[in-house]
Amino acid sequence: SRNMEDDISLKFRQQLFLISENLVTEDVAALKFLCTDLLHLRKLEGVKSALDIFKLLMAQEYLNAEDTFLLAELLYRIKCHSLLEKLGYTKEKVQECLHEKGRVSPYRQMLYELSENITNEMLKEIIFLLQNHLPKRWITLSALDLLILLEKQGLLTKDNVQILEDVCVTVSPDLLEIIKCYKKAKAQCYDILSSPDVWTAVAKLLKELGALPSFCSTKMHKRRCVLLSGEQEGTAVDGVFYFNPRLDSNTWYLKSCYKMDGPHRGFCLMINNVNFNSSQRKGSCKDAEQLERVFTWLGLDVRIYTDLTSGDIRSLMQTWQHLQDHKDRNCFVCCILSHGESGAIYGTDEKLVLIRTLMSHFTAKQCPQLAAKPKLFFIQACQGNKVQRPVYVDTDAQTPDLSCMQESSPLFESIPEEADFLLSMATVDGYVSFRHIEEGTWYIQALCSKLQLLVPRGEDILSILTQVNEDVARRVSPSGTKKQMPQPAYTLRRKFIFPIPTAPPPS
C-alpha cells in the first residue's frame, strides 16, 4: 500500500541519515573518490556531506531501499565496518557478495589503497618529484587530492599508471608492489582473441592460476573478459567468454555478442520533427538534446536533422544508405522523434512514411556496408489515437496477460525480413505516447536514463529496453487516468552490448 511504501522510504532515509552522522570529513572524501567512476565529476565537486553523495547515488538509481549493497561496499572499502549493521550487512556478508555485486573498479580500489598507505612524509616526497606536473599555486591537502589532480590532467588513467610507478620506485617499494599487483591482474584480463584451441588456452591458464584472479569480476555483466596467455594473439572473433559464478569455478561458456571493437562505433542519425503545419511538438528538443549527449557518450557520431517533410525523410534515408563510411563502423543507430500512426511516422508536411520503408534502406542488400552489423531504430511517435488506462491490482496479483495485445500488433511487420535489426517503439500499436512540453517524452527520457545507468554495468540492449518498459509502465498522467507501454521487436542474432565508456554518464 501507499502508506507502507512511505514507511519504508522514511525508514531508509533515517538509516542514511544515521550513517552520515557517523562519517567524518576524511570518510566523505574517501566516498567521493570511490564514486568517481560512477558519478559525474562536476556533481561530485559540489558534495559537502555524505548525504549529498547518497542523494546523487539515489538519483542515478545506484542506491534505493531495496538495494543498499553499493553503500555497503563503500563503507566496507573505507573500513567503516561498524556502520554496515545499519544496512543489515556484516563485514563477512559484504566480502561474500563483492565478487558478484561489487561496483568499485579495480583501478579505483588500487588508487584508494595507495592513498591509504602514503604517509605524510611520503606525500611530501612525491609532490617534490612531481613538481613539474603540478600547478604552482596548488595547495596540497591529501594523497587523494593529488591522485584526482593527476587524473584531471590526464597523467593517470586505468590503462596508464606509469607516473605512479616512476615516483614509487624512489619513494616506497611497498607502494610500487600495490601498482604491480594491479598491472599483473589487469594483464590477465582482456577481450578474447582467436587461438587454435581457445579451451586449451583457458584450461592452461586456470591451471597456472589455480583460481580466478581477484581483478576479474565474476559477475557476467560487470566485466566482459577472458583469461588468455600472452601468446594467444590474433584476429578477434565474434564472441566473448564469461565466467559464470553460478557454475563451478572452472566452468566457462561462450556467449555470442556483436563485435564492437572497430575503429569507430558508428553513426547515430536523428530526425527531430518539431514544427508541423497545424501543431508543434513542444518538449521534443529536450529529447533530442538528451539523446545527443547519451549517444555521443556511448561513442557514436551523432547527426541531427530537424523538421523534415516526408520527402526529405525518404531522401535522407537514401543518402545514408549509400554512405561508404559505414564499413568502418560497428553499428548504426537511428532515432526518430515525430507524430505517427500505426506502423508509420509523419513528416512535417503531415504525410506518412512507413517505418518498414525507412528501415529497408539498411538491409544487407541495400546497404552492404552494414551487413551482419546491428541496426537499432528508436521511434518516439504515437501509433494511434487510443489511450491506455491503468489497471489496479493487488500487490500479490499475477502479472496481467498481455498476449492478446501483442498478437494484434503489426510491429514485426515493420522490420525487414532479415537479421540484425532492432525496432524500439515508444508505444504499442494503436495507442498514443505522452510528451511533457518541458521535460520531454516519457519514453525517450526513460531510454536515456536507463542507458546511462545500465551500459556501465555491461547490460545488453534488450535487458536495458526491458527496464525502459518497466520505467514507462510505472508512469501515469497527472490525472491518474493515462498510461503507456513501449514495445521493442528485433531480429538480432547476438547480444548487443555497448562498450563501457571511460567517461562518467553525461547526467
Side-chain angles (χ1 to χ4, degrees):
S1 68
R2 181 69 180 177
N3 289 337
M4 185 178 294
E5 290 179 1
D6 290 343
D7 290 343
I8 293 172
S9 177
L10 176 60
K11 184 178 179 182
F12 173 56
R13 291 177 183 277
Q14 287 173 335
Q15 288 174 322
L16 297 184
F17 180 77
L18 289 173
I19 290 171
S20 69
E21 289 291 285
N22 286 276
L23 295 173
V24 298
T25 303
E26 290 77 11
D27 297 327
V28 175
L31 290 177
K32 284 175 61 175
F33 183 79
L34 292 174
C35 290
T36 301
D37 301 325
L38 306 175
L39 301 171
H40 201 284
L41 190 58
R42 187 176 69 255
K43 293 184 178 180
L44 276 175
E45 287 177 344
V47 163
K48 302 297 181 184
S49 67
L51 282 180
D52 290 338
I53 298 177
F54 300 161
K55 289 175 185 176
L56 291 175
L57 292 174
M58 291 166 68
Q60 292 296 318
E61 299 185 37
Y62 286 121
L63 178 64
N64 55 60
E66 291 76 34
D67 185 3
T68 60
F69 184 79
L70 175 58
L71 179 54
E73 179 189 2
L74 293 171
L75 295 174
Y76 170 83
R77 299 280 183 206
I78 65 174
K79 298 179 176 61
C80 290
H81 300 147
S82 62
L83 296 178
L84 291 174
E85 64 182 32
K86 298 186 185 301
L87 299 173
Y89 282 97
T90 63
K91 176 183 174 182
E92 293 71 26
K93 181 64 176 176
V94 174
Q95 288 174 331
E96 286 178 20
C97 299
L98 273 178
H99 74 287
E100 283 192 44
K101 301 175 71 174
R103 295 289 293 122
V104 181
S105 70
Y107 167 68
R108 195 62 47 191
Q109 292 176 44
M110 180 272 294
L111 293 184
Y112 182 68
E113 186 179 353
L114 272 181
S115 72
E116 287 291 278
N117 285 275
I118 294 176
T119 64
N120 289 334
E121 198 59 39
M122 289 179 186
L123 183 59
K124 291 177 183 177
E125 294 174 3
I126 293 174
I127 291 172
F128 176 78
L129 294 171
L130 294 176
Q131 266 185 339
N132 291 337
H133 298 289
L134 303 178
K136 292 181 179 179
R137 295 185 179 181
W138 187 68
I139 301 173
T140 307
L141 298 175
S142 68
L144 286 181
D145 293 324
L146 176 61
L147 294 173
I148 291 171
L149 178 65
L150 293 177
E151 286 190 290
K152 284 183 176 179
Q153 293 180 323
L155 300 172
L156 178 61
T157 68
K158 65 183 177 62
D159 298 317
N160 182 11
V161 293
Q162 188 62 49
I163 193 167
L164 291 182
E165 289 182 279
D166 292 342
V167 295
C168 288
V169 166
T170 305
V171 174
S172 169
D174 291 335
L175 296 179
L176 185 61
E177 191 59 32
I178 294 173
I179 301 170
K180 284 183 176 179
C181 286
Y182 164 75
K183 289 185 66 177
K184 182 178 180 182
K186 186 174 185 298
Q188 294 169 331
C189 183
Y190 52 87
D191 283 347
I192 185 169
L193 300 175
S194 64
S195 68
D197 190 345
V198 165
W199 297 102
T200 301
V202 172
K204 176 184 176 183
L205 186 61
L206 284 174
K207 185 176 180 180
E208 292 174 358
L209 296 171
L212 189 72
S214 59
F215 171 75
C216 282
S217 170
T218 57
K219 188 153 188 180
M220 185 194 311
H221 69 246
K222 273 299 298 297
R223 187 170 295 278
R224 302 178 298 283
C225 59
V226 68
L227 301 175
L228 290 176
S229 57
E231 65 203 32
Q232 305 294 338
E233 296 184 355
T235 305
V237 299
D238 281 338
V240 176
F241 271 108
Y242 292 107
F243 183 80
N244 186 348
R246 295 179 179 82
L247 304 178
D248 179 80
S249 61
N250 287 329
T251 303
W252 294 76
Y253 66 97
L254 185 64
K255 198 72 176 178
S256 184
C257 299
Y258 284 103
K259 289 174 64 175
M260 295 292 285
D261 57 353
H264 305 286
R265 189 78 69 242
F267 289 104
C268 174
L269 171 63
M270 193 188 312
I271 298 173
N272 181 27
N273 281 350
V274 180
N275 300 295
F276 289 76
N277 292 338
S278 58
S279 65
Q280 186 179 52
R281 297 183 62 253
K282 295 180 180 179
S284 187
C285 289
K286 175 77 171 182
D287 284 344
E289 290 169 5
Q290 187 74 343
L291 284 169
E292 181 181 18
R293 283 196 295 267
V294 170
F295 280 110
T296 299
W297 170 67
L298 291 172
L300 283 95
D301 186 354
V302 181
R303 307 293 175 87
I304 302 177
Y305 300 84
T306 304
D307 292 342
L308 301 187
T309 65
S310 57
D312 292 336
I313 293 172
R314 293 189 182 94
S315 297
L316 183 67
M317 292 300 166
Q318 290 175 355
T319 299
W320 279 84
Q321 166 190 336
H322 296 107
L323 192 69
Q324 293 299 312
D325 288 349
H326 286 311
K327 65 182 179 181
D328 295 324
R329 266 68 181 180
N330 298 136
C331 64
F332 175 70
V333 174
C334 180
C335 303
I336 300 178
L337 316 175
S338 189
H339 289 310
E341 292 289 346
S342 178
I345 57 102
Y346 279 106
T348 54
D349 55 355
E350 299 183 357
K351 294 181 180 179
L352 288 170
V353 181
L354 291 176
I355 294 172
R356 182 181 181 84
T357 300
L358 300 179
M359 298 178 70
S360 64
H361 287 284
F362 302 95
T363 62
K365 183 177 180 179
Q366 298 297 327
C367 184
Q369 293 86 2
L370 285 173
K373 298 177 182 179
K375 295 159 280 278
L376 282 55
F377 287 75
F378 300 94
I379 311 291
Q380 168 53 52
C382 293
Q383 288 296 286
N385 297 316
K386 290 187 286 186
V387 175
Q388 296 182 46
R389 304 297 181 184
V391 177
Y392 301 99
V393 297
D394 293 332
T395 54
D396 59 349
Q398 292 182 337
T399 303
D401 183 5
L402 301 177
S403 58
C404 58
M405 180 185 297
Q406 292 168 345
E407 287 172 3
S408 65
S409 170
L411 185 59
F412 274 98
E413 297 174 9
S414 296
I415 302 182
E417 295 175 354
E418 66 167 69
D420 309 310
F421 278 90
L422 166 73
L423 172 60
S424 179
M425 302 293 297
T427 184
V428 294
D429 185 61
Y431 288 83
V432 298
S433 60
F434 295 101
R435 169 172 36 85
H436 191 285
I437 61 174
E438 293 179 355
E439 297 176 3
T441 58
W442 292 1
Y443 168 69
I444 294 299
Q445 294 306 309
L447 174 64
C448 291
S449 173
K450 294 304 179 183
L451 284 170
Q452 294 178 86
L453 175 67
L454 299 176
V455 167
R457 300 182 186 182
E459 296 280 9
D460 69 281
I461 190 64
L462 296 182
S463 298
I464 292 173
L465 291 177
T466 300
Q467 292 293 312
V468 171
N469 279 6
E470 180 182 20
D471 186 313
V472 175
R474 288 178 180 272
R475 303 187 186 209
V476 66
S477 65
S479 64
T481 60
K482 299 174 182 178
K483 300 282 286 183
Q484 181 179 329
M485 173 56 71
Q487 185 180 16
Y490 62 94
T491 57
L492 299 176
R493 295 172 296 123
R494 298 183 173 90
K495 283 183 177 291
F496 179 87
I497 303 176
F498 281 109
I500 300 174
T502 56
S507 64

